[in-house]
Amino acid sequence: MTGRLTTMRTTTLGTHGPQVGVIGLGCMGMTFSYDMATPRDDNTSIAVIRQALDLGVTLIDTADVYGPHTNEALVGRALAGGHRGRAVLATKVGLVVSDPTGGPEGSPLIVNNGRPEHVRTAIDDSLRRLGTDHVDLYQLHRVDPKVPVEETWGAMAEAVAAGKAGHLGLSEATVEDIKAAQAVHPVTSVQSELSLWTRDRLTDVLPYCQEHAIAFLAYAPLGRGFLAGRFTSFDDLPDDDFRRRLPRFQRDALRTNLTIAARVREIAERAAVTPAQVALAWVVAQGEHVVPIPGTKTPKYLVDNAGAADTTLTPADLAALDALPAPQGSRY
Ligand SMILES: NC(=O)c1ccc[n+]([C@@H]2O[C@H](COP(=O)([O-])OP(=O)(O)OC[C@H]3O[C@@H](n4cnc5c(N)ncnc54)[C@H](OP(=O)(O)O)[C@@H]3O)[C@@H](O)[C@H]2O)c1
C-alpha cells in the first residue's frame, strides 16, 4: 500500500485545539467489537493508520477499554517510528472490563469507572501502551453516574497540567454534563453517535457544541457499516460480532432498515460517489465543528472514506437524506 500525501480540508478542534482533517479514523474495530471470529491482520491495520496520516486523516481515535488495552497497543505500534507527530491522538478513559466473559452471551462485562484515582493511573497506562508522553485529546468515555463529572474532569485536568494530555473531551454526554465540566476545565470535544440513522443529538448536544465552538466527533457515522451497504442480512454478520446483539441488526429490523441503505445507494449512484461517502458527507454537512470518525481496518475503505472530504451533496440530495425514514430498532 502506498501513501499519497494530500492536503485534506482541516478544521480546528474546539477554539484552541489542534487542526485535524475533516474526516478522522476510529480504530475500535481493529481489535474489538466487530469481526471477533475473523482473524485480524494487525499489519494491515497498522498500514491503514499510517496511510490515514498520509491522506490527511489525522484524528486517530482509540480507547483504553477497546480490547481491553490491545487497541491502544496497536495504535502505539502504528505511530512508532516517527509517525506520532503526524497524528492528533485521541484516547478515552472511564470504562473498564470488570469480567471478560460476564456480559451478554459471554461478551466482556463493561462498567463505569470515573473515580479520580482511576483516571490518575489510567492516563499513565494509556501513555505506556501508546508509546508516547502525551495524548492530544483525552476523553471521558462515559460520565460515571456514581461520580460527579466535576471530580472525574478535575482528575483529567490534572493530566493536562502535567503535560500528559493536550485537551479534554467528553463522550455521550448531556448538555448538563458539558456545562458542569466546562466550569472546571474547557471542553474541546464531545463524541456521540451521529449518522443518517442516529440523529438524536441534532437537537440538543450538537447545537450546544456549535454555539460554544466545541468539536462534535461523530462516532459510528456509517451506522456500523450498514449505511455503507455492508450487510443485507443478519447472516452476513460474523459469529461473535457485537452487531449481532444490536436491535437494528436483528432479522426483521434489518430487513426493514434495508430501505434506508437502498436510498443512500440511489443517491450515491446519482452523485457518482459511494454510499459511505454519501453517509459521511451528510454528517460533515451538519456543522462546521462536526468531524466523523468512521472505523475501518480495510485499506480500500479508508481511501473511500477519506474521499468524503471532497464529496459535496446538492441541496436536493441533502433534503432527500434528511427525509429518510427512522430506522427500526434502538441503537443499543
Ligand atoms: N464513544 C463511544 O462510545 C464510541 C462507540 C462506538 C464507536 N466509537 C468510535 O467511533 C469509531 C467508528 O465507529 P464504528 O467503527 O463503531 O462504526 P462505523 O464507523 O459506522 O462503521 C464501521 C464499519 O463499517 C465498515 N466500513 C468502514 N468504511 C467502509 C466503507 N467505505 N465501505 C464499506 N464498509 C465500510 C467497517 O468495516 P471494516 O472494519 O471491516 O473495515 C466496519 O465494519 C470507532 O472505531 C470508535 O473509535 C466510539
Side-chain angles (χ1 to χ4, degrees):
M1 190 164 46
T2 54
R4 185 169 60 96
L5 290 173
T6 65
T7 47
M8 179 180 283
R9 207 151 45 80
T10 59
T11 184
T12 306
L13 286 189
T15 30
H16 304 294
Q19 292 275 309
V20 295
V22 291
I23 306 288
L25 175 65
C27 298
M28 179 183 79
M30 292 175 181
T31 70
F32 193 55
S33 288
Y34 307 146
D35 307 314
M36 299 304 281
T38 316
R40 297 197 191 86
D41 180 5
D42 283 356
N43 288 332
T44 302
S45 294
I46 287 169
V48 164
I49 293 171
R50 291 181 181 166
Q51 194 185 13
L53 301 175
D54 292 343
L55 293 169
V57 176
T58 48
L59 178 61
I60 306 295
D61 184 73
T62 179
D64 58 3
V65 77
Y66 297 160
H69 307 153
T70 54
N71 208 258
E72 286 187 332
L74 180 75
V75 171
R77 282 169 60 201
L79 298 183
H83 301 285
R84 169 68 185 93
R86 303 198 291 145
V88 174
L89 180 56
T91 193
K92 313 185 195 80
V93 64
L95 290 178
V96 293
V97 173
S98 70
D99 180 346
T101 54
E105 296 165 34
S107 63
L109 181 65
I110 295 174
V111 298
N112 297 98
N113 189 346
R115 293 198 307 274
E117 54 274 26
H118 171 64
V119 172
R120 289 186 191 113
T121 57
I123 180 67
D124 291 330
D125 293 339
S126 286
L127 294 179
R128 183 174 31 76
R129 286 187 291 266
L130 289 163
T132 185
D133 61 358
H134 76 284
V135 290
D136 300 293
L137 184 66
Y138 200 40
Q139 305 164 99
L140 179 55
H141 212 149
R142 293 284 184 281
V143 174
D144 185 340
K146 297 186 299 302
V147 181
V149 65
E150 294 87 342
E151 290 184 17
T152 313
W153 202 248
M156 293 171 71
E158 289 171 23
V160 176
K164 297 174 183 178
H167 302 271
L168 300 184
L170 289 159
S171 168
E172 292 263 310
T174 63
V175 169
E176 287 65 39
D177 295 329
I178 302 169
K179 287 180 182 169
Q182 282 277 57
V184 176
H185 185 93
V187 176
T188 293
S189 64
V190 177
Q191 184 173 142
S192 276
E193 186 168 349
L194 174 65
S195 70
L196 285 167
W197 75 354
T198 300
R199 304 175 182 210
D200 317 55
R201 300 287 75 84
L202 287 182
T203 53
D204 50 20
V205 171
L206 181 54
Y208 185 87
C209 288
Q210 292 287 105
E211 196 184 326
H212 295 84
I214 295 169
F216 186 100
L217 309 185
Y219 85 68
L222 298 172
R224 302 180 187 268
F226 183 81
L227 299 165
R230 274 292 293 287
F231 309 106
T232 53
S233 100
F234 181 79
D235 299 311
D236 292 344
L237 294 163
D239 291 346
D240 292 341
D241 192 290
F242 167 66
R243 289 168 286 210
R244 283 183 168 249
R245 300 197 298 276
L246 294 177
R248 291 177 188 173
F249 288 88
Q250 300 312 301
R251 287 181 195 282
D252 287 348
L254 192 146
R255 213 172 295 122
T256 305
N257 292 334
L258 283 174
T259 316
I260 299 174
R263 297 253 189 101
V264 176
R265 194 178 336 107
E266 276 166 31
I267 291 170
E269 281 167 8
R270 204 162 59 225
V273 296
T274 66
Q277 289 173 338
V278 167
L280 295 174
W282 179 86
V283 170
V284 170
Q286 301 312 305
E288 59 172 315
H289 300 288
V290 180
V291 178
I293 49 165
T296 188
K297 51 185 162 36
T298 311
K300 70 173 182 195
Y301 293 160
L302 169 75
V303 175
D304 190 12
N305 298 343
D310 301 319
T311 302
T312 309
L313 298 169
T314 64
D317 288 339
L318 284 170
L321 293 166
D322 286 342
L324 285 175
Q328 185 173 319
S330 55
R331 56 193 192 96
Y332 279 109

